[in-house]
Amino acid sequence: MLDFSFYAPTYYEFGRDTESKVGELIQKFGGTKVLIHYGEGSVVRSGLLSRVEKYLDSCQISYEELGGVKANPESDLVYEGIKLCRDENIDFILAVGGGSVIDSAKAIAAGVLYDLDFWDFFCDDDRKKVEKSLPVGVILTIAAAGSEGSPSMVITNSKTKLKRGNIKSDVVRPKFAIMNPTLTMSLSNYQTACGIVDIMTHVIERYFTNTKNCIVTDRLCEAILKSMIESGKKVMDHPNDYEARANIMWASTLAHNNICGVDRVQDWASHKMEHELSGKYGVAHGAGLAVIVIKWMRYVSKRNPNKFREFGKNIFGIRNDLFGTDDDYIEQGIQKLQEFWISLGMPSSLEELGYHDEDLDYLVEHVDYASDGTIGNYLKLTKEDVRNIYQS
């Protein structure tokens, strides 16, 4: 178990109708003129945006609006938001949506206060650190990314289609997150399933570690994964099950505010490989992860099987005395996870995401490798390993 520092200052307002408190929360954290940032129209159609406007009006808080965030948020809209905030003297950004909207809001909030190009925060060479930001608040409508409580953000460059998530800075953590599970009930089963995969993968990226004796955090990871399987099955059959929605929503925060990763070396190879898929093909992040994580698991388990025995036993109750070989035993845990994700309607092959063999070199070359030319930590992967995983 490693030494660590843990700081997670976001204020959470969880439960039914909590969005009605948005005005007082903005005032609590010093906002006087707000940019309401949202996606491609669902908050308008649902009436949520008009309710938010009413709540801000009642608190005499002025606001501007910027919609249009895509499922994989792009830099063009971030530039537009930065200019709008500067022109209108915005001092607080309210993200109304899911992880894509929140990440876009964070990028705007940081970019406003710097003269440099905000993409310099994401560049591989001479990357700039984010040390200041406008305050950000969140009304969460999709349980998935965990960005409502995280210090990170992921943006796709509109011109190059490179998707990068290198930013980790506590100054962009949202000041508050309003989390009303009923706001997620209008999501399609597909959107809900993508969110479940995203949440589980955030835990998996932390769970698979070579750091020893992290017993408490290991059990936290396992509890979240098992809870997601239980709640995921319920919500697919009963989309308006409040308790299932609530558990999924709270899990999205716990999976990515780093409470499950503080005491260990984390991996994150799967995310880096998936970012190239969603950046190039525009697929939902969770759908891409459903394919890549299974490929990654099968590849690294043959070279570093230790944690996979624990995974199969503690998540799925698999007994090793029922299988002839250790490889068979380990494969059962991976197969059970894949079967669960397929049962949610998730893809199981790259071809389902739009992949073509001629894209392989592009994907391999554009992964965000570390300075030593590798990704991941559970097993450090070279470009050749990445190629093998994409092709597997």
Side-chain angles (χ1 to χ4, degrees):
M1 181 175 178
L2 303 179
D3 296 341
F4 63 86
S5 299
F6 181 57
Y7 179 67
T10 303
Y11 181 93
Y12 296 99
E13 195 70 59
F14 194 102
R16 296 175 176 87
D17 301 321
T18 44
E19 64 271 21
S20 64
K21 300 181 181 180
V22 63
E24 60 191 78
L25 285 170
I26 289 172
Q27 290 174 328
K28 177 178 180 177
F29 291 100
T32 60
K33 189 167 186 180
V34 177
L35 175 65
I36 304 175
H37 199 36
Y38 58 94
E40 296 187 281
S42 63
V43 300
V44 178
R45 294 188 296 273
S46 69
L48 176 59
L49 182 61
S50 63
R51 296 202 304 276
V52 169
E53 293 167 344
K54 182 185 72 174
Y55 300 140
L56 298 191
D57 289 338
S58 67
C59 292
Q60 298 182 319
I61 298 173
S62 60
Y63 53 85
E64 301 290 333
E65 297 177 357
L66 179 62
V69 181
K70 298 178 180 179
N72 293 296
E74 294 195 358
S75 58
D76 280 354
L77 194 64
V78 174
Y79 289 120
E80 186 178 340
I82 290 171
K83 183 179 186 303
L84 178 59
C85 287
R86 289 172 176 167
D87 291 346
E88 299 296 334
N89 295 314
I90 299 293
D91 61 15
F92 195 99
I93 300 182
L94 177 66
V96 184
S100 296
V101 173
I102 301 168
D103 285 4
S104 185
K106 289 176 178 178
I108 293 170
V112 168
L113 301 183
Y114 287 87
D115 292 332
L116 53 77
D117 184 339
F118 94 92
W119 190 254
D120 289 347
F121 297 132
F122 296 84
C123 290
D124 297 331
D125 300 323
D126 194 29
R127 186 178 300 153
K128 306 299 183 184
K129 293 183 178 179
V130 178
E131 297 177 333
K132 55 187 177 180
S133 168
L134 290 182
V136 175
V138 173
I139 299 177
L140 189 64
T141 63
I142 302 175
S147 191
E148 68 276 1
S150 81
S152 56
M153 52 181 151
V154 180
I155 301 292
T156 299
N157 188 297
S158 302
K159 294 179 180 178
T160 66
K161 297 305 176 183
L162 291 179
K163 186 175 180 179
R164 292 291 180 260
N166 331 39
I167 306 302
K168 285 183 175 56
S169 174
D170 283 319
V171 300
V172 300
R173 283 188 191 265
K175 297 299 182 183
F176 66 80
I178 292 172
M179 303 174 69
N180 176 0
T182 65
L183 297 180
T184 68
M185 290 180 180
S186 61
L187 296 174
S188 68
N189 277 7
Y190 182 79
Q191 289 173 304
T192 299
C194 287
I196 290 169
V197 174
D198 199 2
I199 293 166
M200 294 180 75
T201 303
H202 286 158
V203 177
I204 287 168
E205 297 277 24
R206 295 169 166 92
Y207 182 74
F208 282 94
T209 180
N210 296 308
T211 309
K212 306 296 184 184
N213 300 314
C214 306
I215 299 172
V216 172
T217 312
D218 277 347
R219 300 298 88 81
L220 284 173
C221 289
E222 291 163 1
I224 293 172
L225 291 172
K226 292 173 72 174
S227 297
M228 290 303 297
I229 293 169
E230 179 180 341
S231 297
K233 291 176 179 177
K234 288 180 179 179
V235 82
M236 287 296 112
D237 293 332
H238 305 285
N240 292 333
D241 185 326
Y242 177 86
E243 299 301 334
R245 291 281 183 186
N247 279 289
I248 292 170
M249 180 170 267
W250 186 230
S252 75
T253 297
L254 297 180
H256 205 38
N257 72 352
N258 211 36
I259 191 68
C260 292
V262 290
D263 54 359
R264 63 194 57 214
V265 176
Q266 302 174 24
D267 190 71
W268 296 102
S270 295
H271 266 73
K272 290 199 170 186
M273 286 184 284
E274 195 289 323
H275 282 167
E276 299 316 310
L277 297 175
S278 51
K280 184 167 182 59
Y281 303 120
V283 299
H285 183 48
L289 287 171
V291 176
I292 284 294
V293 170
I294 299 300
K295 286 176 173 286
W296 174 86
M297 282 183 154
R298 290 196 166 113
Y299 191 83
V300 303
S301 69
K302 293 177 174 62
R303 294 154 180 79
N304 190 356
N306 296 334
K307 196 75 174 180
F308 285 88
R309 301 184 188 93
E310 189 177 348
F311 175 80
K313 175 185 176 183
N314 293 348
I315 304 301
F316 295 103
I318 297 170
R319 293 167 45 196
N320 62 347
D321 60 342
L322 298 179
F323 299 96
T325 68
D326 198 40
D327 286 347
D328 292 336
Y329 171 49
I330 289 170
E331 170 59 24
Q332 281 297 306
I334 300 172
Q335 186 173 321
K336 288 289 186 183
L337 178 63
Q338 185 176 37
E339 288 172 355
F340 171 62
W341 285 349
I342 290 173
S343 76
L344 300 179
M346 289 289 94
S348 59
S349 71
L350 289 179
E351 287 72 18
E352 292 174 77
L353 304 174
Y355 169 81
H356 301 284
D357 288 340
E358 56 265 31
D359 297 333
L360 179 60
D361 288 342
Y362 173 92
L363 295 172
V364 172
E365 290 300 321
H366 284 85
V367 167
D368 186 18
Y369 297 97
S371 58
D372 65 354
T374 67
I375 58 171
N377 290 297
Y378 185 72
L379 182 70
K380 286 191 174 293
L381 303 174
T382 65
K383 282 188 178 182
E384 189 59 30
D385 292 318
V386 170
R387 180 180 295 275
N388 290 338
I389 290 172
Y390 278 135
Q391 285 185 309
S392 63

